[in-house]
Amino acid sequence: MSTGLLIRNTIDRLEEGFMAVSLAFMTLLTFTQVVLREFGGGWVWSLEATTYTFGWMVLVGMSYGVRTKSHIAVDLFAKKLPPPIRRIVALTAVGLCLVYCGFMFYGGSIFVDRLMMLGNNARDIPLPRWLLTSIIPVAFMLLTYRFLELAWAINKGIETGLSADHGAHRDNKGDAET
Amino acid sequence: MSALFLLAILFVCLTIGMPVAISLGLASISTILLFADQSLLSLAQRFFHTMQIYPLLAVPFFILAATFMTTGGVAKRMIDFANALVGHFRGGLAMAALLGCAFFSAVSGSAPATVVAVGGVMIGGMINSGYTPRFASGIICNAGTLGILIPPSLVMVIYGAVTETSIGNLFIAGMLPGLILTLAMMATIAIIAKRQDLPRQPRATLRELLRAGWEALWGLILLLIILGGIYAGIFTPTEAAAVSAVYAFLIAVFVYRDIRLNDVPKVLTESAKTTAMLMFIIANAYLFAFVLTTEQIPQAASEWIISLGLPPWGFLIVVNILLLVFGNFMEPTSVVLILTPIIFPIATQMGIDPIHLGVMMVLNMQIGLVTPPVGLNLFVTASVAKTSMEEVIKAAVPWLIVLFTVLILVTYIPWISLIVPSLLGVL
C-alpha cells in the first residue's frame, strides 16, 4: 500500500469512526440528562456539549457524503445528456460546489479568527469558543478536498456525476432522508 | 430583482445536478453578497448555528431509532401481528402489509424506511401467495408513505422547527388523518379483493393472536413512550427522540437479539451519515430562508397573493398545486424547507392554522413520494421488489386516487387535523 493510499484510508476511517462516536455520545448524553432530571439532577454543560457534538458530526459528515455519493441531488436532467456534454456539466457543477466551499471556508475562518480575538469561553463548557467552532474551516477544507478528488475522477472518466445511480445506491438504504 | 436572481441561481444549480444543499447555499450566498449588506462571517455563523437549534436535535435521534428498528426484526414482528389481526379476510395478506406499514410508521419517521422494512418481507410474501407483483408493490409503495404522517415524523419535526410550531401537537394531529388514510386504503383493498377473488389466510387462533401481539408490543410501546412522554411533560420531543433511540437499541440488541453488539457501530455510522446529509440541506435552507427574509420576499409574495383577493380555500388550492409540483422533483424535507418560509407567513395572515397547514403539507409530500420522476418511494420499492421503475409507477398510480381523496378531505376540513389536539386540550 502506498503512503498516499494509507493516508486516505486513515482519513476515511477517522471520518466514519468520528461520526459514529459523536452520534452515540450525543444520544447517551441527552438520554442521561432525562434520567438525571427525574432524580432532580442533571449537568449544566450537557445541552451545549450535545449541540457542539452535533455540529461537528454534521460538518465532518458533509465530506463523508461526497465520498459515499449520498448527497441528494436532482440528477434527472443531467443524466439525459450525451456523455461528453454531461462531463462538462458535471465538472461545472463540481466547480460551483468548490466556489461554495471557498466562500464558507473564508467565512468560517474569519468567524474563528474573530472569536480568537474575543478569546471568551463557551457558555457552559470550559473551552474557548474559537476551538469549538474551529471545525467550520477545517470541515470546508475537507469538503474541498473531496470535491477536487471527484473532479479529478470525472475528468478521467471514472465517475459521471455527483450522485450515484438511483436504485444502485438506494438498495437497502431506506433509512434515507425524509 | 434579488428574488429573481436568488431563484434563478437556485434553479440553475439544481438543474445541473448539484446537491440540493449546496444549490441552496450558493444561491443564498451569491444573493447576499450582491444585494445585501451581510458578511460571509455571519453566514458561516448562521450555518453552524443551525445545529444548535434545539428542536432539530430530534432529527439524529429519530433517525437512529428508525435505523435500529429497520435493521432489527421489529418490522417482521409487527407484520406477524398485523397478519394475525386481518389475515383471514379476503385479500388479508395485502391488508396485513398495509397495517404493517401503519404499525411501523409509529416507530419510524421516514417513508422510504417503512417501505424497506415492511416491503422487504411482504412483497415477496404476497407474490408467493398468488398476488400479482404489481398489486403487491403498489400497496407497499403507497402504504409506506404513512411513515411521514403517523408520528413520529421527520418532516413534521422539520416543519415544526422552521415555523416554531409545537412538534408534539403536529405529531398528535397526524394520528387521525393517518387512521383515515389507513382505513381508506383498507377499504380499497377489500373492494379489489372481492372483485379479483384474492386469497385468504387461515384465521389465527386467539392464542396465536395474543402471542403475536405480545411479540410486537415491544416495538409498538415506542409510540406510547414518545407521545405519552411529551404530553405528560416528562420530556421534550427532542428528548423523546433520544429516549426512543436508546429504547430501540435495547430492544433490537437485548430483547429481540436481531442485532449483535458488533453491528452497532455500523448502525451508528449509517444513521450519522443520513443525519449529516439531511442537516447539510437544512443548514443551507436556513441560509436561504434568511435571504428570503432580509429581502422581504415572503412579504412581497404575501401582498401579491392577498391583492389577488383569493379566499383561503383558493389559496390552499394554489399551495396544494405548488407542493405537488415541487414534490415531483424533490424529496419532502427539501420541499418543506424551501417552500415553508414563503407559504407560512401568507397562511398565518389568512388565518389558516399552522397545525392544519403542516398536516396538509405532509399529505402533499406523501403524494410527491409516489409520483414520478423523483418519487423516493418508487425508487425504494423498485429496489426492494427487484423490478423496474416503470412497473412500480404503473403499480402505484391507481392508489393515488385514495391519497388525493384524503388530501382533499384534510385540506378542506381543518377539523380532521385539529380535533385530536383540541380534545386533548393542547390547542
Side-chain angles (χ1 to χ4, degrees):
Chain A
M1 202 187 278
S2 73
T3 329
L5 200 63
L6 192 70
I7 293 173
R8 277 233 310 262
N9 278 345
T10 315
I11 296 181
D12 291 359
R13 283 286 171 75
L14 278 176
E15 270 175 3
E16 282 167 32
F18 179 80
M19 286 164 68
V21 172
S22 306
L23 183 54
F25 175 71
M26 55 191 278
T27 311
L28 289 175
L29 199 55
T30 307
F31 178 76
T32 313
Q33 192 69 6
V34 176
V35 176
L36 287 180
R37 198 180 46 219
E38 285 308 299
F39 297 103
W43 300 310
V44 211
W45 50 268
S46 175
L47 180 60
E48 202 174 45
T50 309
T51 53
Y52 274 114
T53 313
F54 188 29
W56 282 59
M57 184 189 91
V58 171
L59 284 166
V60 171
M62 296 185 310
S63 50
Y64 179 75
V66 177
R67 174 157 70 84
T68 54
K69 303 198 122 193
S70 23
H71 281 298
I72 300 156
V74 185
D75 47 12
L76 194 70
F77 311 105
K79 278 198 172 149
K80 296 238 163 76
L81 299 168
I85 302 178
R86 191 175 166 191
R87 189 167 132 238
I88 296 168
V89 169
L91 283 174
T92 315
V94 178
L96 287 174
C97 290
L98 285 166
V99 172
Y100 167 84
C101 291
F103 280 138
M104 292 304 282
F105 171 77
Y106 180 73
S109 310
I110 46 178
F111 179 41
V112 175
D113 190 56
R114 183 71 56 84
L115 290 175
M116 267 172 133
M117 277 183 344
L118 286 172
N120 58 346
N121 274 4
R123 204 177 55 236
D124 301 316
I125 311 173
L127 284 173
R129 273 185 76 196
W130 70 263
L131 189 68
L132 293 167
T133 46
S134 61
I135 187 66
I136 308 176
V138 174
F140 281 101
M141 212 150 63
L142 268 173
L143 192 62
T144 307
Y145 163 69
R146 292 295 180 193
F147 276 125
L148 285 173
E149 225 177 30
L150 184 62
W152 183 81
I154 293 173
N155 195 34
K156 286 266 171 178
I158 304 166
E159 299 280 1
T160 53
L162 284 92
S163 49
D165 283 318
H166 267 305
H169 82 131
R170 294 246 181 249
D171 275 26
N172 303 320
K173 290 214 178 132
D175 52 326
E177 8 3 285
T178 323
Chain B
M1 183 55 209
S2 55
L4 270 181
F5 181 82
L6 177 73
L7 295 175
I9 300 277
L10 176 64
F11 181 77
V12 170
C13 291
L14 286 173
T15 318
I16 63 172
M18 284 168 63
V20 174
I22 298 185
S23 305
L24 282 165
L26 192 61
S28 314
I29 294 175
S30 43
T31 309
I32 277 200
L33 289 181
L34 282 173
F35 296 95
D37 190 26
Q38 292 284 339
S39 64
L40 283 169
L41 182 153
S42 74
L43 288 179
Q45 186 178 8
R46 265 171 200 284
F47 182 94
F48 192 68
H49 178 73
T50 314
M51 271 65 79
Q52 303 183 334
I53 297 172
Y54 185 69
L56 287 177
L57 264 175
V59 170
F61 302 148
F62 275 132
I63 289 177
L64 181 59
T67 313
F68 273 121
M69 292 281 183
T70 317
T71 320
V74 179
K76 166 110 194 15
R77 289 168 179 87
M78 289 182 167
I79 293 166
D80 288 343
F81 178 47
N83 209 359
L85 278 174
V86 293
H88 59 279
F89 294 121
R90 199 172 287 286
L93 209 55
M95 293 179 181
L98 165 64
L99 207 55
C101 284
F103 287 160
F104 194 77
S105 300
V107 296
S108 144
S110 149
T114 309
V115 170
V116 170
V118 181
V121 183
M122 283 310 260
I123 294 182
M126 279 190 270
I127 295 173
N128 287 340
S129 313
Y131 290 79
T132 61
R134 189 177 284 187
F135 187 68
S137 36
I139 298 257
I140 294 291
C141 188
N142 282 277
T145 65
L146 285 170
I148 56 171
L149 181 60
I150 296 180
S153 154
L154 281 181
V155 178
M156 286 180 180
V157 169
I158 290 160
Y159 174 87
V162 173
T163 61
E164 293 175 2
T165 305
S166 153
I167 293 169
N169 288 354
L170 282 165
F171 279 1
I172 282 286
M175 295 197 25
L176 186 60
L179 187 69
I180 292 176
L181 184 56
T182 310
L183 289 177
M185 291 184 72
M186 194 72 91
T188 315
I189 295 174
I191 295 168
I192 298 174
K194 198 165 180 195
R195 207 182 287 166
Q196 298 189 354
D197 198 23
L198 291 174
R200 301 164 184 266
Q201 306 286 108
R203 183 189 281 272
T205 61
L206 186 64
R207 207 190 145 85
E208 282 166 347
L209 180 68
L210 288 176
R211 200 189 155 76
W214 174 252
E215 282 275 311
L217 194 65
W218 292 104
L220 291 172
I221 284 179
L222 190 61
L223 183 66
L224 220 65
I225 298 180
I226 296 173
L227 293 182
I230 295 175
Y231 277 93
I234 303 172
F235 36 67
T236 62
T238 299
E239 288 167 347
V243 173
S244 308
V246 173
Y247 178 81
F249 159 76
L250 293 175
I251 292 298
V253 176
F254 297 109
V255 179
Y256 290 156
R257 295 165 192 258
D258 297 312
I259 300 182
R260 283 171 304 150
L261 272 175
N262 292 348
D263 302 327
V264 173
K266 233 173 61 195
V267 173
L268 283 166
T269 314
E270 195 55 43
S271 311
K273 184 181 90 183
T274 310
T275 306
M277 298 312 102
L278 200 51
M279 286 307 299
F280 189 32
I281 298 181
I282 295 175
N284 283 291
Y286 267 83
L287 295 185
F288 184 75
F290 171 64
V291 181
L292 286 179
T293 325
T294 51
E295 296 301 301
Q296 308 218 314
I297 295 168
Q299 288 88 326
S302 142
E303 270 164 33
W304 179 67
I305 295 263
I306 288 168
S307 75
L308 289 179
L310 273 180
W313 63 266
F315 171 69
L316 287 180
I317 293 186
V318 177
V319 170
N320 272 330
I321 293 171
L322 206 62
L323 288 169
L324 290 172
V325 170
F326 271 70
N328 278 359
F329 294 96
M330 269 184 274
E331 47 81 44
T333 41
S334 310
V335 180
V336 168
L337 284 163
I338 295 174
L339 290 183
T340 308
I342 304 175
I343 294 173
F344 188 76
I346 310 178
T348 346
Q349 209 165 345
M350 290 195 150
I352 295 163
D353 193 281
I355 303 272
H356 174 212
L357 182 71
V359 175
M360 190 190 111
M361 283 183 91
V362 170
L363 264 155
N364 274 294
M365 293 305 100
Q366 287 182 265
I367 293 174
L369 280 169
V370 290
T371 43
V374 188
L376 215 47
N377 270 25
L378 295 171
F379 294 121
V380 180
T381 309
S383 88
V384 172
K386 297 187 185 64
T387 150
S388 70
M389 271 291 286
E390 288 73 31
E391 190 55 34
V392 177
I393 292 170
K394 281 182 200 151
V397 164
W399 293 95
L400 280 177
I401 302 170
V402 184
L403 280 175
F404 265 110
T405 314
V406 178
L407 170 65
I408 293 169
L409 289 178
V410 166
T411 306
Y412 295 107
I413 314 178
W415 184 86
I416 298 177
S417 319
L418 302 176
I419 181 67
V420 184
S422 66
L423 276 182
L424 286 168
V426 289
L427 265 188

